[in-house]
Amino acid sequence: MPIKKSIVVFCGSLREHSFNGAIARSLAELAPEDMTFTVLDGLESIPHYDADIQASGFPAKVLEIADAIKNAQGVAFVTPEYNYSIPGVLKNAIDWLSRVSPAPFAEKPVVIQTASAGILGGVRAQYHLRQILVFLDAYPMNKPEVMVGSVQSKISADGKLTDEATRDFISNQLAAFSKFIDKMS
Ligand code: FNR
């Protein structure tokens, strides 16, 4: 039995019927057997980044996520594009986590899926996120890239990723990510 690789999943959308949330929840069934996934909740409970709050102590949720990343073999970001960039809730969580020492994202393998209602599938957000990951010193996997366009036509009413081509793209990407983690460790 191969060793399990645990992956912490950030979803950039808070809404209950989020298409990105549906993709985030589908990762486990699409991944190789040696991977497990924990989708983070409670990102909305993290206050806006404020150095004065930091000075009196990090929010408990930030420390909890930092610890989860530290103990994981990889991180996944599944996010919509908001105004050609990443949603504020995701940026805020990253900003807080970037102040934690030791740096939780440093040298951590990262895989990204973006999904949007537009035909480009959130590609501009994905490249903004990749830019941020440079500062965090994370190791985002370059390829295969996954951008899911017209996502509303690929998720069923009960929140399942039903589009076969998209399922295959994500399966291939996660298989590559498992090997990428092996290479990076
Ligand atoms: C969007 N949407 C969007 N889509 C896109 O392709 N490029 C964009 O820049 C934006 N910008 C944007 C801003 C804001 C504030 C919202 C609320 C939406 C549309 C977006 O892709 C769509 O609402 C997705 O369904 C959002 O993902 P979830 O919530 O379904 O995961």
Side-chain angles (χ1 to χ4, degrees):
M1 182 70 181
I3 297 166
K4 289 272 181 198
K5 293 162 186 152
S6 67
I7 311 298
V8 168
V9 184
F10 285 80
C11 179
S13 175
L14 298 178
R15 70 188 187 96
E16 188 184 352
H17 299 296
S18 159
F19 299 127
N20 285 275
I23 292 173
R25 288 190 303 275
S26 75
L27 297 183
E29 71 194 51
L30 299 174
E33 273 187 3
D34 67 344
M35 301 177 105
T36 62
F37 295 83
T38 306
V39 183
L40 295 172
D41 60 15
L43 296 187
E44 73 286 355
S45 71
I46 301 174
H48 289 155
Y49 178 78
D50 179 338
D52 293 337
I53 298 177
Q54 183 190 333
S56 57
F58 281 91
K61 192 75 194 175
V62 173
L63 296 178
E64 181 193 314
I65 296 173
D67 216 41
I69 296 172
K70 193 181 102 193
N71 293 321
Q73 280 69 52
V75 172
F77 288 97
V78 190
T79 185
E81 177 173 279
Y82 281 180
N83 301 305
Y84 289 11
S85 187
I86 64 169
V89 68
L90 189 53
K91 181 65 162 55
N92 186 52
I94 291 171
D95 287 345
W96 271 109
L97 288 160
S98 73
R99 310 316 290 172
V100 174
S101 180
F105 288 108
E107 301 184 2
K108 197 60 75 172
V110 171
V111 68
I112 304 169
Q113 296 100 26
T114 53
S116 84
I119 54 168
L120 297 182
V123 62
R124 293 156 294 211
Q126 182 154 156
Y127 274 81
H128 266 193
L129 179 57
R130 287 179 180 276
Q131 181 178 336
I132 292 164
L133 293 171
V134 174
F135 181 79
L136 300 177
D137 200 19
Y139 290 164
M141 186 172 72
N142 289 332
K143 288 181 179 176
E145 296 177 311
V146 170
M147 291 108 173
V148 184
S150 306
V151 65
Q152 67 280 9
S153 66
K154 295 169 180 168
I155 308 284
S156 62
D158 60 348
K160 300 273 183 316
L161 176 61
T162 47
D163 184 69
E164 280 306 324
T166 306
R167 291 176 68 87
D168 286 349
F169 282 133
I170 294 176
S171 279
N172 288 336
Q173 186 203 38
L174 294 175
F177 190 53
S178 177
K179 291 184 187 148
F180 183 76
I181 291 172
D182 290 338
K183 259 191 271 174
M184 291 293 148
S185 55

